[in-house]
Amino acid sequence: LASCRRAGMAEQLSNASAGDSAPALQPKLLSSLSSFGSPAEGRLTTDGPVKGCSKEDVEPDSSDNSTVTGGKKLRDMRALTCLKGLLMMPYQLVRFVTSLHAQFGGFVPVAALQYGVNQGLGGAVGGLALKYYLKDVLGLQNNPALMQNLRAASRIPWNIKPVMGMLSDAYPLFGFHQTSYIAVAAAGGIVGYVCLSVLPLTAIATLPFTLLVRFSSATPDVMIDAFAAKLSKQAPERASDLQSLVWGSLPMGLAVSCAVSGTLVQALGPKMLLLLVSVCPLSVFVPSVLRWLPEERVPKEQRRLDLSFLKKHGSVTALAACMSVLTITLSVLQILVESVYIRGLVILICGVLLALSVYISLCRITPILAKVALFIFVRECLQPSIGDPMFIWYTAAEGGPHFSPQVMGALEGVGAVGLFCGVVIYNKYLTTVSYRRIFLLAQLGIMLYNLSDFILVKRWNLLVGVPDVVFILGDDAFGELVGRFFMMPLLVLSSKVCPDNLEGTLFAMLMALSNFGGTVGEFFGATMTDMLGIKNGNFDMLPQAVIAKSICRLLPIPLIYILVPDLTPQDPIPGGDAKGSSDVNLDSAPSAQEPAAEVVGKVDSEKDCAIRWRGEETC
């Protein structure tokens, strides 16, 4: 079959004489194709056009030894080609990075260090070390709700990313819109890690330093994204390569952390490991101080606060400010207030206030944007998380599985495998399925994934002979897989509902709403843990907590049919809902004298026009 496909390709190439480059390419390509088969068999030659294959080519007679031998040679050749491709991958990767560096200069190593080392490796290794630091060093294994509240509150920087982006656009710190913000944030991360490792701190006193650590990864993330968007506009043909650099560096860092994080926690201890992880923000601080980013410095006389964007888009600015105030207020009250009922009331009030603010503010832009944003935020709020109580039960509870740090570190790697499989399956089979159907199926899968914790907590897996390690690794991979089924179409929908000229800001806003909703869900779960009395080593009510959080995964299902448009990821957003949005963008807007039919013809004929993805429209 492969031989027939190559023969058909050769015939097409030989007949494609209309193109300017066909005569030059044809002999070389045909010669290359002929190397896959034997010329004696007459399958591929360079002497002329090759006709289609007969049935005998597809189904050779098994009695023909020469044909069988030729088939074996072809299989051997394919195996050698695959092996050569694998061996050439490092070389191709070096060529790819070198070509990017030749065009974009210091941005390439800075982006790779940020996403691969600081955010990927540092975030995963530092996150695991921080969990063991809070549990073992500060003794919070008896108070899992406080441990979860502290870790949720430390995510404030990720919830206020739009504010950081607006601030960097409005004021050039020390003359730079990105470089100086990266340097200051990275320096704060170094200070945070060092203080956590050397100072005798109480549980609440760790919060300022964990905030510095989070700022050291969230702020450079915003700045690198902004700089990548600017470079993509300058060289639109390399936009996808820049995104490949960013999203390729992150899993590399996660893969390394999966291999070493658990071993380092056990060998060095959490405090020494936190000190070692301070190298990760240092890897971003040094290039920013050395000004590797190709950013021009603003003259001193022009360094002033520019509020034009904030004034022009007042509703977006007001929503970003509201998000910042509410996330800080909610985090502080969840940590300082002891009454579980008051904390629950505060969660409800803050969630309702922000939901109303989201809908009112974004409805002024487009109604469909407001509905999608509301769905993103409320869905996360309705799903309580009990991650830290489960972590303590995994590692320290009497009668629990007592997982080692190596197992807990390996969960990141297994989750990454599930994430990759989810991306592949979605791209291959689900891109034509409607948003509503994908979200419904994914939400049901997420509910089943959460419910599987009940089997582990009740120890039923041991009754059927499934070891704890095998069960938790497979369960985590499945969870990432179904979670990716939800996130991939959600990212596509988020990018499509953002109107022109506000894509970057609004997309960051939608992702910040998702982060904030996740934080609310963590506070919700911590409050539920306290109400059930899961503390001081008492995990009797943990099965009930698992059932409750699993049932809550069904709550967003009605919202799918209320707030999500009945479209597929390949459908354009209706023009009446998304003002100024379009799926295809030509190089220039049509003039008033240009007939509409001619413009439509251009769109239909432009096969190279790319569908808008994450706010980038290129032809």
Side-chain angles (χ1 to χ4, degrees), residues 168 535 556-557 570 618:
S168 67
K535 54 186 174 182
I557 290 180
Q570 295 184 350
T618 57

mmCIF file of all heavy atoms in Angstrom, residues 168 535 556-557 570 618:
data_model
loop_
_atom_site.group_PDB
_atom_site.id
_atom_site.type_symbol
_atom_site.label_atom_id
_atom_site.label_comp_id
_atom_site.label_asym_id
_atom_site.label_seq_id
_atom_site.Cartn_x
_atom_site.Cartn_y
_atom_site.Cartn_z
ATOM 1 N N SER A 168 3.030 46.356 32.944
ATOM 2 C CA SER A 168 4.243 46.385 32.124
ATOM 3 C C SER A 168 4.034 47.169 30.830
ATOM 4 O O SER A 168 4.966 47.803 30.327
ATOM 5 C CB SER A 168 4.692 44.956 31.811
ATOM 6 O OG SER A 168 3.756 44.317 30.968
ATOM 7 N N LYS A 535 -8.598 16.077 60.327
ATOM 8 C CA LYS A 535 -7.405 16.717 60.891
ATOM 9 C C LYS A 535 -6.904 15.891 62.057
ATOM 10 O O LYS A 535 -7.581 14.969 62.525
ATOM 11 C CB LYS A 535 -7.706 18.151 61.334
ATOM 12 C CG LYS A 535 -8.877 18.296 62.292
ATOM 13 C CD LYS A 535 -9.182 19.744 62.554
ATOM 14 C CE LYS A 535 -10.440 19.930 63.397
ATOM 15 N NZ LYS A 535 -10.759 21.359 63.598
ATOM 16 N N PRO A 556 -21.391 21.528 37.158
ATOM 17 C CA PRO A 556 -21.233 22.393 35.967
ATOM 18 C C PRO A 556 -21.997 21.916 34.733
ATOM 19 O O PRO A 556 -22.070 22.663 33.754
ATOM 20 C CB PRO A 556 -19.717 22.360 35.708
ATOM 21 C CG PRO A 556 -19.101 21.905 36.972
ATOM 22 C CD PRO A 556 -20.092 20.976 37.576
ATOM 23 N N ILE A 557 -22.552 20.714 34.732
ATOM 24 C CA ILE A 557 -23.178 20.184 33.512
ATOM 25 C C ILE A 557 -24.330 21.063 33.026
ATOM 26 O O ILE A 557 -24.427 21.349 31.817
ATOM 27 C CB ILE A 557 -23.628 18.723 33.751
ATOM 28 C CG1 ILE A 557 -22.398 17.826 33.854
ATOM 29 C CG2 ILE A 557 -24.542 18.252 32.622
ATOM 30 C CD1 ILE A 557 -22.713 16.363 34.099
ATOM 31 N N GLN A 570 -14.431 23.836 14.870
ATOM 32 C CA GLN A 570 -14.138 24.287 13.511
ATOM 33 C C GLN A 570 -15.108 25.343 13.008
ATOM 34 O O GLN A 570 -14.901 25.902 11.939
ATOM 35 C CB GLN A 570 -14.146 23.083 12.558
ATOM 36 C CG GLN A 570 -13.045 22.068 12.844
ATOM 37 C CD GLN A 570 -13.005 20.945 11.839
ATOM 38 O OE1 GLN A 570 -13.912 20.813 11.019
ATOM 39 N NE2 GLN A 570 -11.967 20.133 11.890
ATOM 40 N N THR A 618 -2.639 35.033 10.758
ATOM 41 C CA THR A 618 -1.606 35.261 9.763
ATOM 42 C C THR A 618 -2.026 34.635 8.455
ATOM 43 O O THR A 618 -2.762 33.657 8.420
ATOM 44 C CB THR A 618 -0.261 34.645 10.198
ATOM 45 O OG1 THR A 618 -0.465 33.250 10.427
ATOM 46 C CG2 THR A 618 0.251 35.300 11.458
#
